Amino acid sequence: MNDRIENMAASLGLPRELVSGAAVLSSFGDSCLFIENHKGIIEYTRESIKLQARPSKIRIAGANLDIAFYTADEIKITGKITEICYYR
């Protein structure tokens, strides 16, 4: 993120991720993952979910994965989550 955006975020008291549009992940144990600021689903199986995010893609691996909630920029994934991987 460039200095201008970081300075703006700091002056407004906002998290840098929110201002830059980066994905924000919140994990609740190994069975629930909430992702904000995603840009869409690339692939969805019960063992792997791939999402487009900024600045990279995200792959969630596990067992019995399910998309419990989905909007244009928020998603809730449930199941047995074993790995979260960022890739280009």
Side-chain angles (χ1 to χ4, degrees):
M1 181 165 51
N2 68 38
D3 290 337
R4 193 173 115 224
I5 292 174
E6 282 197 38
N7 290 338
M8 182 175 64
S11 68
L12 295 173
L14 297 171
R16 335 176 340 194
E17 293 82 8
L18 181 64
V19 176
S20 71
V24 178
L25 284 70
S26 302
S27 174
F28 302 94
D30 64 354
S31 62
C32 181
L33 180 65
F34 187 74
I35 302 170
E36 300 172 82
N37 298 331
H38 74 87
K39 303 300 178 196
I41 299 170
I42 298 169
E43 179 181 288
Y44 172 35
T45 69
R46 300 288 281 168
E47 293 79 32
S48 176
I49 298 175
K50 295 180 182 177
L51 303 173
Q52 180 64 54
R54 186 188 282 167
S56 60
K57 297 173 180 141
I58 303 169
R59 182 176 67 86
I60 299 93
N64 299 316
L65 298 179
D66 189 36
I67 296 175
F69 174 80
Y70 177 83
T71 67
D73 55 24
E74 298 177 340
I75 189 168
K76 178 182 177 183
I77 298 170
T78 58
K80 177 68 173 168
I81 299 167
T82 57
E83 181 180 23
I84 300 170
C85 179
Y86 299 88
Y87 67 100
R88 297 258 175 217

